[in-house]
Amino acid sequence: MRRRTPPPPSPLPQRDGIDAVRVRLPVAGGPWSTVREHLAERLSGAGAGVVDGMFDTGRFVGADGRAVPGDAPYEPGMFVWFHRDLPAEVPVPFPLEVVYRDEHIVVADKPHFLATTPRGGHVTETALARLRRELGVPALGAAHRLDRLTAGLLLFTVRPEERGAYQGLFRDRLVRKEYEAVAPYDPALGLPRTVRSRILKERGVPAAREVGGEPNAVSRVELIGHRPGTGLGLGRYRLVPGTGQTHQLRVHMSALGVPILGDPLYPEVAAPVPAGDFRRPLQLLARELGFTDPVTGREHRFRSGRSLQAWTAYEEWAGRQ
């Protein structure tokens, strides 16, 4: 089998912890006679005149780091880099704590509301971009993801050539993960129990849903605390996922009749909150992360130092003070 030639390294440094965008011109060619013609068509969503303006200010560069003129002849397979204009973002006003760091990995304790990696409207206000800036490690990569609304432990890799080995731990279910959640207490709910169902997450649809068929999602649910409160009170739960479907724990808790407090999607999709509204965070925390390091062979077990506010200070979380 013929090995694929890796692309050349980016000639542009990161900006605010974000890599430059790399574009490769189609090898098969096309109706374009110049690089400008192709990029104007390919990046048409940027708006009229934007690509022309970028060429005029030298923002497109080739592998040698030199600005690519708009009238440069179209060259099949050519690589071009540029920095996109980043969206204005409201800073997430909570610290991102590093709990462990060595020459191979970084383990961080992510706050609620901070996305893991750049996506959509969350680019520089992400755990990955923040850590690249704060630690001065531009090659840092994420080995897995947590939902933006979920707090807790995240594993990052220092060396790009080792990232696949750590990602494989999650793919092959070799990571011991434990979550905590605060949700309503139901004395009639028999716990502990293992929940099995088939979860479907459709692209463009905010919430996942359970459907018939062979189960693809398995979660262990245990009650580890109960206290009086609104209605029958609050429960503190230990959640151990056996699989990694999108929103799996949130879907299973909702299906059990005890949706996690602060969940804007389950059991019903709520109206979007304004940017900068950091009240009532989802009460879900990635508490523990354990694995055998695939590079060093060390046994790792990490525990988040965060607490769930609805459990420690419910009135404050609910905004009743």
Side-chain angles (χ1 to χ4, degrees):
M1 184 176 179
R2 190 174 182 179
R3 298 185 64 181
R4 185 177 179 181
T5 302
S10 173
L12 294 175
Q14 289 177 351
R15 181 180 295 171
D16 293 326
I18 304 301
D19 292 322
V21 177
R22 184 185 72 232
V23 174
R24 189 183 191 192
L25 278 56
V27 175
W32 317 283
S33 59
T34 65
V35 176
R36 183 193 297 263
E37 288 179 4
H38 173 72
L39 292 182
E41 178 180 316
R42 187 163 180 170
L43 305 176
S44 59
V50 171
V51 171
D52 284 342
M54 293 174 68
F55 271 112
D56 293 343
T57 53
R59 291 177 57 185
F60 292 107
V61 305
D64 59 1
R66 296 181 180 179
V68 176
D71 59 357
Y74 182 91
E75 181 181 328
M78 176 183 179
F79 287 99
V80 177
W81 287 262
F82 66 94
H83 278 293
R84 59 174 171 157
D85 293 324
L86 301 178
E89 298 179 60
V90 177
V92 177
F94 309 113
L96 174 64
E97 306 288 351
V98 172
V99 299
Y100 178 82
R101 180 182 180 184
D102 64 21
E103 62 270 32
H104 304 284
I105 62 174
V106 172
V107 179
D109 202 350
K110 183 183 84 67
H112 296 285
F113 301 108
L114 187 68
T116 300
T117 55
R119 185 178 183 183
H122 306 284
V123 182
T124 58
E125 279 300 304
T126 58
L128 179 61
R130 267 202 201 179
L131 288 172
R132 283 175 170 176
R133 296 193 300 265
E134 294 173 5
L135 301 181
V137 184
L140 198 71
H144 67 123
R145 292 177 61 251
L146 285 178
D147 291 340
R148 185 177 69 88
L149 300 182
T150 302
L153 297 174
L154 278 168
L155 175 65
F156 297 87
T157 60
V158 174
R159 300 173 178 174
E161 65 271 21
E162 295 174 351
R163 186 180 178 196
Y166 290 98
Q167 288 178 318
L169 294 175
F170 294 89
R171 181 192 64 235
D172 299 334
R173 302 177 188 173
L174 298 175
V175 177
R176 301 177 295 281
K177 295 185 287 184
E178 183 178 302
Y179 290 71
E180 276 186 25
V182 178
Y185 170 68
D186 182 357
L189 182 62
L191 296 176
R193 71 167 64 184
T194 298
V195 182
R196 294 180 174 86
S197 71
R198 185 167 190 82
I199 293 178
L200 174 66
K201 177 66 171 70
E202 298 173 294
R203 190 179 186 88
V205 179
R209 58 191 175 93
E210 292 184 307
V211 297
E214 185 71 21
N216 64 357
V218 180
S219 305
R220 177 74 172 174
V221 181
E222 303 173 12
L223 180 70
I224 55 177
H226 162 239
R227 62 175 51 151
T230 304
L232 294 173
L234 297 177
R236 181 170 166 238
Y237 298 87
R238 177 185 294 116
L239 309 176
V240 182
T243 53
Q245 296 298 320
T246 299
H247 297 176
Q248 173 180 317
L249 298 176
R250 297 163 65 182
V251 171
H252 281 168
M253 289 293 284
S254 181
L256 290 175
V258 287
I260 298 171
L261 295 190
D263 198 324
L265 297 180
Y266 307 98
E268 296 181 356
V269 177
V273 300
D277 186 345
F278 301 113
R279 297 172 298 172
R280 303 187 66 170
L282 174 70
Q283 295 299 280
L284 180 62
L285 172 67
R287 173 65 77 189
E288 292 192 4
L289 195 65
F291 56 91
T292 301
D293 194 303
V295 176
T296 67
R298 298 174 189 159
E299 287 295 327
H300 290 299
R301 184 172 183 178
F302 305 104
R303 185 171 176 83
S304 169
R306 298 184 183 276
S307 59
L308 292 171
Q309 189 182 31
W311 186 254
T312 59
Y314 179 80
E315 297 296 326
E316 182 179 337
W317 175 84
R320 296 181 181 179
Q321 290 186 333

